[in-house]
């Protein structure tokens, strides 16, 4: 029987189990580039093509570029509502994210006057306590096909600058 080296076991565990212990700590300030992919369950009121609204709940995961950056591996849950009235979009969502170490953050997404979705950090615990986000942009990636009425799979890319306490 062939023996397995200790190095092989460690490398295998890292490939399966996550980040290495020697990964760099986050700096107190820097840029972020993340992709969040989620499943959305929604309820729609479709009055006309220019008058409709829906509420939703989303759950998903976050991956940063490069790996190991701010928010990498966080899980996310959002609730929100969007209304389209005469073709103008309004509404937004509140999202709670939980990091692998248990630190949490609450974020609000809302539409600005140009109809773009913007992000605002509201409050956090642990490393997210006192975090400030600036220059945040949210860009949809997709669209994805609908597999089941009332659900959707989607991803978005978020970029900006952060400053930790």
């Amino acid at each position: 029987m062939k023996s397995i080296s200790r190095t092989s076991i460690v490398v295998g565990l890292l490939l399966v189990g996550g980040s290495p212990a020697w990964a760099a700590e986050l700096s107190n300030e820097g840029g972020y580039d993340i992709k969040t992919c989620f499943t959305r369950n929604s309820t729609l009121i479709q009055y006309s093509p220019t008058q409709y609204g829906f509420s939703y709940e989303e759950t998903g995961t976050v991956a940063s570029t490069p790996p190991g950056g701010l928010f990498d591996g966080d899980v996310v849950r959002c609730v929100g509502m969007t209304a389209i009235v005469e073709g103008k979009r309004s509404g937004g969502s509140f999202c709670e994210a939980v990091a692998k170490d248990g630190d949490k953050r609450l974020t609000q997404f809302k539409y600005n006057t140009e109809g773009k979705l913007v992000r605002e950090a509201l409050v956090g615990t642990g490393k997210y306590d006192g975090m400030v986000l600036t220059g945040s942009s949210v860009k949809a990636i997709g669209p994805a096909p609908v597999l089941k009425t009332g659900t959707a799979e989607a991803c978005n890319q978020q970029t900006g600058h952060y400053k930790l306490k």
Side-chain angles (χ1 to χ4, degrees):
M1 182 162 133
K2 187 176 179 183
S3 69
I4 299 173
S5 73
R6 179 179 274 166
T7 303
S8 297
I9 292 171
V10 170
V11 169
L13 288 173
L14 289 175
L15 291 173
V16 172
S19 61
W22 60 86
E25 290 292 317
L26 282 175
S27 63
N28 287 338
E29 188 172 355
Y32 66 90
D33 183 352
I34 60 172
K35 180 166 49 170
T36 304
C37 293
F38 52 88
T39 298
R40 173 184 284 175
N41 294 304
S42 61
T43 302
L44 171 68
I45 295 175
Q46 179 79 49
Y47 184 77
S48 73
T50 60
Q51 312 266 24
Y52 61 94
F54 57 94
S55 63
Y56 54 89
E57 180 175 8
E58 302 169 334
T59 56
T61 57
V62 180
S64 69
T65 302
L70 187 68
F71 308 136
D72 194 41
D74 286 9
V75 292
V76 181
R77 178 176 174 253
C78 303
V79 293
M81 190 284 276
T82 298
I84 308 296
V85 178
E86 296 303 324
K88 293 185 180 184
R89 185 179 297 261
S90 65
S93 62
F94 285 95
C95 299
E96 177 185 41
V98 181
K100 292 175 189 175
D101 62 7
D103 291 348
K104 295 181 180 184
R105 58 190 168 92
L106 183 65
T107 303
Q108 180 179 16
F109 291 84
K110 57 187 172 182
Y111 293 96
N112 65 16
T113 55
E114 293 87 39
K116 288 187 170 189
L117 192 60
V118 294
R119 169 189 184 141
E120 178 186 5
L122 299 176
V123 67
T125 66
K127 68 181 164 289
Y128 298 138
D129 180 34
M131 177 178 61
V132 176
L133 300 177
T134 57
S136 298
S137 81
V138 180
K139 177 183 162 189
I141 301 171
V146 174
L147 296 174
K148 178 182 171 188
T149 302
T151 66
E153 307 294 327
C155 295
N156 62 44
Q157 181 180 20
Q158 301 170 42
T159 57
H161 188 82
Y162 72 90
K163 186 171 184 176
L164 301 174
K165 203 173 187 183

